[in-house]
Amino acid sequence: MNIDADQAAGLCLVEKNGTVATVTLNRPDARNALNIPLLRQLAAALDEARAHGADVLVLRAEGTAFCAGADIRTDDGTAIGQPGLRRRLIEQVCDLIESFPASVAAVQGPAVGGGWALATAATVILAAPEAAFRFPELRLGFLPPDATVRRLRDCAGPSLAFRLLAADERFTADDLARLGLVEVVAAPDLDSRARHLADQFAAAPPDLLHHLRTALTT
């Protein structure tokens, strides 16, 4: 797969090994907060990876945070609480992550709001012990993406999903592991474990992976 030089050096990095694509959020100085340029690059990277034959995705991030959520300092001009460009792009990115027959999110630090939504779109979430998860959206006046609400409902049940999404409560990796939502992996082993698991998924026929995921989520 040919990666544009500007993209490879920019906010979103892409590496392809066989049918496994590793996509890295690369805005560590801003804790990988989701501004419009990052979201556009991320959507393009995911779309290109699928178009070039990637069936399995590893989603990871540089720095100490997986993703601090939407970057409201670079607002798109739409008031918080209304459908805007940033929200549409987050939903598009979540849909693209879910388009892979299998995907692994490697969460090494905080995953807040839209960052947790991206991780939730993956088939499996691996989390370092230092990872932390929080949804502040309702207190900011808007809802998380519909797909995120559905996935947490399916994984955790309506009552627990409501608490996860509405309480603006910080959950540790161990908290979510006890609920069966993540697997805790020692930080030095996080990337290697994610890539190993992705390789295991890639050994199966992609059409069967797709049918299995569909059967489990419908």
Side-chain angles (χ1 to χ4, degrees):
M1 178 171 59
N2 294 323
I3 304 299
D4 182 88
D6 290 336
Q7 181 187 44
L11 302 174
C12 183
L13 309 181
V14 185
E15 176 186 350
K16 188 167 179 288
N17 184 9
T19 60
V20 177
T22 299
V23 175
T24 300
L25 306 180
N26 189 40
R27 200 179 174 222
D29 292 344
R31 297 169 62 81
N32 297 306
L34 299 172
N35 64 0
I36 301 304
L38 172 55
L39 284 165
R40 283 178 167 151
Q41 285 196 25
L42 181 54
L46 294 166
D47 191 49
E48 185 179 359
R50 285 294 284 141
H52 285 81
D55 297 314
V56 180
L57 169 70
V58 174
L59 181 66
R60 60 179 303 279
E62 288 293 333
T64 58
F66 177 75
C67 176
D71 189 346
I72 60 175
R73 298 172 304 172
T74 54
D75 189 67
D76 59 355
T78 302
I80 292 176
Q82 300 296 320
L85 176 59
R86 185 172 49 242
R87 179 183 174 87
R88 291 196 299 273
L89 285 170
I90 290 173
E91 291 175 342
Q92 178 188 1
V93 166
C94 288
D95 288 344
L96 286 166
I97 293 169
E98 290 190 329
S99 75
F100 287 79
S103 52
V104 182
V107 180
Q108 83 283 20
V112 180
W116 193 355
L118 299 188
T120 300
T123 317
V124 175
I125 302 175
L126 305 181
E130 300 80 10
F133 302 80
R134 185 169 67 92
F135 270 116
E137 270 78 353
L138 264 67
R139 292 199 181 187
L140 294 173
F142 59 99
L143 288 169
D146 290 343
T148 303
V149 175
R150 289 194 299 271
R151 289 213 66 198
L152 282 177
R153 177 203 63 198
D154 293 344
C155 293
S159 179
L160 180 56
F162 187 88
R163 177 183 172 185
L164 295 174
L165 292 163
D168 193 15
E169 186 175 352
R170 180 183 181 275
F171 296 90
T172 68
D174 285 338
D175 291 335
L176 296 192
R178 284 191 289 270
L179 300 173
L181 299 179
V182 308
E183 175 187 337
V184 179
V185 179
D189 303 325
L190 185 62
D191 282 337
S192 61
R193 170 65 177 150
R195 291 188 172 103
H196 177 69
L197 188 57
D199 288 340
Q200 289 182 301
F201 290 148
D207 58 333
L208 296 186
L209 286 174
H210 175 76
H211 286 302
L212 177 60
R213 183 167 186 178
T214 300
L216 289 169
T217 56
T218 57

